[in-house]
Amino acid sequence: MSQRFQSYIDGQWVDGSGSTADENPADLSTPVGEYGVLDAALAAQAVEAAATALPAWALSTPQQRADLLDRVGSEILARKEELGRLLALEEGKTLPESIGEAARAGQIFKFFAGEALRIPGEKLASTRPGVDVEITREPVGVVGIIAPWNFPLAIPAWKIAPALAYGNTVVFKPAEIVPACAWAIAEILSRAGLPPGVFNLVLGAGRTVGQALVEHPRLDALSFTGSVPTGNALLKQAAARGLKIQLEMGGKNPLVVLADADLEVAVECAVNGAYFSTGQRCTASSRLIVENAVYDDFVARIQARLATLKVGDPLQPGIDIGPVASQAQLDTDLSYIRAGHDDGAELLFGGERVEYRTQGHFLAPTLFAAKPGDRIAREEIFGPVAALLRADDYAHALALANDTAFGLCGGICTTSLKYATHFKRHAQVGMVMVNLPTAGVDPHVPFGGRKASSYGPREQGRYAVEFYTSVKTAYTAA
Ligand code: NAD
């Protein structure tokens, strides 16, 4: 399979310049395809097309938008195997995980089809006699969407679907290494009956195409998911020009295992949370904090479980961990493995590349016994590399869990209602899991974090209305 993926501007497919290979990270000898990158001028044209399409789309009926999003959701669900295959090929997630992600993208479009019909408003009694007060929500305008590569179907879906549901127009810029998944979404939207300019896809580099969106005066809001450095740079630019912005960034998520935990459950939570999807999840359990009394038992069990995991081609049955998504991410992972050794952490499992029959970015699941100050225990790695920390007791474990700049997700494995309840209240995160992996969330409830992990209103569920609408208060003399 070799295909050239194009951008989509004002209802037309647009080729960019040059040809950038779309790599298959499990087999570098057979790329998924190629794509041309846009320049800043073409990206600006996409924003202008979205601005031109905005007034009519903002006044479209909720039913029109609901029907359209429902059709998109139905098509994604009907084609989830095929879309999942494309995702597995391009990003390296295993096929079952990829099909699951495609299904989730479809469910998200269906959820927001319903939300288009439930746009909330309020009518209150005025403090003044003879006056009515109404609070309504209107589209925020032209929305820029900048997405990472690790959930190349679900993250675009959870931004594009609410943006369109609430009457906004969209310019979507995916990460450079996943043009095929972005193109697949655009291709479905291109046949769904949207007026030209309502949805636009711009393929290209962050610093040209992404920057052109942020700098364009007609852009009204920007929803970004990606790394902390990029997010923080965008936040400064947005503040300077008064752009509404929402940022979902990194994580260094703790999974606490208490002495009273069911250790079988705890090991499964740890392995799933730290290593599935090759550890490339913002919600990955990259810090495993285990109470002293069960530490040795936990280590023996997780080592035995890790030894059963198969790393390889994500399309093959029985593979648990696909390749790292890119050479750049593999280099980062390997540099953190070196940092683990340099900081004196003890390697408990993995730590090296895996030889496979194809040439790809395969890396063994890696576990270090670390100290809280080690770089591998503090910085987001975004690969199959986890740090194990020893805690004296629950209070110490909670303190370690909160001892991080990040605050996306936190988990605890315990059979104690007392500790579970306390952890739910005192973990400094946006999402808490009890006896579940830190990764793996529902599509219909809010998603997001605290501290350095997130900025602005929550994504997903009905809370998405905060970002994608602007509130208006109207007074009428009765
Ligand atoms: P990244 O920051 O490198 O890139 C994200 C996006 O920003 C890409 O589309 C990129 O092209 C674009 N970009 C880069 N520089 C830009 C610039 N100067 N101006 C405008 N756009 C620019 O992140 P990544 O490597 O693609 O993704 C991994 C990161 O995403 C990890 O830190 C991970 O934790 C985070 N992430 C967070 C969540 C969450 O919801 N909290 C979910 C998934 C991933």
Side-chain angles (χ1 to χ4, degrees), residues 145-151 155 158-159 173-177 204-214 222 224-231 233-234 237 247-251 280-283 329 380 382 406 408 431 447-449 453-454 459:
I145 291 174
I146 299 186
W149 44 262
N150 66 322
F151 281 95
I155 291 179
W158 82 52
K159 294 178 187 289
K173 190 229 146 329
E176 289 84 333
I177 64 167
R207 56 181 187 286
T208 48
V209 171
Q211 273 301 303
L213 303 193
V214 185
L222 177 68
F224 168 86
T225 299
S227 64
V228 173
T230 312
L234 294 176
Q237 292 177 57
L247 306 171
E248 286 300 341
M249 299 177 283
Q280 298 171 151
R281 294 187 283 195
C282 51
T283 48
Q329 185 60 54
E380 183 183 50
F382 216 56
F406 297 103
L408 189 58
M431 296 174 288
F447 178 97
S453 291
S454 299
E459 301 205 76

Side-chain angles (χ1 to χ4, degrees), residues 98-252:
S98 297
I99 293 171
E101 179 177 337
R104 181 167 170 200
Q107 287 158 357
I108 289 168
F109 272 96
K110 292 215 162 239
F111 175 85
F112 283 107
E115 288 302 279
L117 298 169
R118 284 189 290 269
I119 300 178
E122 268 186 281
K123 186 156 184 192
L124 295 179
S126 170
T127 55
R128 288 172 281 167
V131 174
D132 273 345
V133 190
E134 292 161 272
I135 301 154
T136 53
R137 287 183 178 273
E138 296 180 0
V140 71
V142 177
V143 176
I145 291 174
I146 299 186
W149 44 262
N150 66 322
F151 281 95
L153 292 177
I155 291 179
W158 82 52
K159 294 178 187 289
I160 295 166
L164 296 177
Y166 297 121
N168 303 284
T169 57
V170 168
V171 182
F172 165 41
K173 190 229 146 329
E176 289 84 333
I177 64 167
V178 286
C181 285
W183 169 85
I185 295 174
E187 199 278 323
I188 292 172
L189 283 163
S190 76
R191 291 183 284 99
L194 285 168
V198 170
F199 171 81
N200 304 274
L201 168 69
V202 289
L203 298 178
R207 56 181 187 286
T208 48
V209 171
Q211 273 301 303
L213 303 193
V214 185
E215 288 168 10
H216 201 292
R218 309 272 319 253
L219 195 83
D220 297 299
L222 177 68
S223 180
F224 168 86
T225 299
S227 64
V228 173
T230 312
N232 285 343
L234 294 176
L235 179 58
K236 286 201 188 92
Q237 292 177 57
R241 53 155 292 202
L243 180 72
K244 186 172 186 182
I245 191 163
Q246 170 186 60
L247 306 171
E248 286 300 341
M249 299 177 283
K252 192 73 190 172

